[in-house]
Amino acid sequence: MTGDGPVTEFDGRFSDPSARATPWPEARRVLRDAELYWLATVRRDGRPHVTPLIGVLREDAVHFCTGLREQKARNLDHSRQVTLTTGSNAWAKGLDVVVEGAAVRVTDRPSLRRLADAYVDKYGETWRFEVGDGVFGAGEDAAAVFRVEPSAVFAFAKDPHGQTRYRFARN
């Protein structure tokens, strides 16, 4: 999610006649400020796996971490395709944002240090991660860190209801 921003497309088929496209900065704000995200991954046998988690928006990408032995980590070993969602459970207020893309492992120490600091800035000392060798933590408590590289992001406005798609250039 870098550069001049994504191409924005409003989809009137799934929108109230009075709705307009949600500006990218508004969708980005929801991704930045969310306290909780839902991550969908795919198990080796094709069944979906969805779990809530915390994350941070840094360098215009959503980042999350997972213990190396957790189900989502095992799923990401064979398929990097994910869907990450956040928003409001209300029907007629708020904005839901859905990110579709690939989870790419972050292993370099300077990036991990910046991300560890971003977690503390957002969530407080409870979520202070030590930076290890390509992971947060060490040993059995090690957690892999991922950046979601979007292929598409959708914003679902609720007052009035409107659907906006953001397309990202592939590098």
Side-chain angles (χ1 to χ4, degrees):
M1 290 189 258
T2 59
D4 296 329
V7 173
T8 301
E9 302 170 346
F10 179 72
D11 195 333
R13 297 173 302 163
F14 307 111
S15 302
D16 184 276
S18 66
R20 299 291 175 257
T22 300
W24 172 242
E26 189 174 338
R28 187 183 180 286
R29 178 191 53 76
V30 168
L31 290 170
R32 182 195 69 214
D33 294 347
E35 290 183 20
L36 185 69
Y37 306 84
W38 291 88
L39 180 73
T41 57
V42 180
R43 298 172 192 262
R44 192 169 297 282
D45 66 5
R47 292 181 298 134
H49 176 261
V50 178
T51 187
L53 48 68
I54 62 172
V56 295
L57 184 72
R58 176 100 179 129
E59 298 167 355
D60 265 355
V62 179
H63 294 76
F64 68 91
C65 60
T66 179
L68 296 174
R69 298 181 303 174
E70 292 183 35
Q71 183 65 53
K72 58 188 166 293
R74 292 193 311 267
N75 296 347
L76 291 168
D77 280 343
H78 75 87
S79 176
R80 298 284 185 208
Q81 296 306 303
V82 299
T83 300
L84 182 132
T85 66
T86 195
S88 164
N89 284 332
W91 170 249
K93 66 180 178 180
L95 181 69
D96 296 333
V97 180
V98 176
V99 180
E100 296 177 347
V104 176
R105 184 96 181 256
V106 178
T107 58
D108 66 283
R109 187 171 289 275
S111 293
L112 291 172
R113 176 79 268 142
R114 287 189 296 273
L115 290 167
D117 291 343
Y119 272 95
V120 171
D121 290 346
K122 184 173 181 180
Y123 296 101
E125 289 295 324
T126 300
W127 290 102
R128 177 170 295 284
F129 292 104
E130 296 302 320
V131 174
D133 186 18
V135 294
F136 283 165
E140 290 186 9
D141 295 329
V145 180
F146 293 90
R147 172 184 67 253
V148 180
E149 293 189 350
S151 54
V153 175
F154 296 89
F156 298 94
K158 298 179 183 179
D159 186 23
H161 288 87
Q163 180 177 310
T164 304
R165 178 184 180 128
Y166 310 96
R167 292 185 191 268
F168 295 84
R170 300 215 174 191
N171 297 337

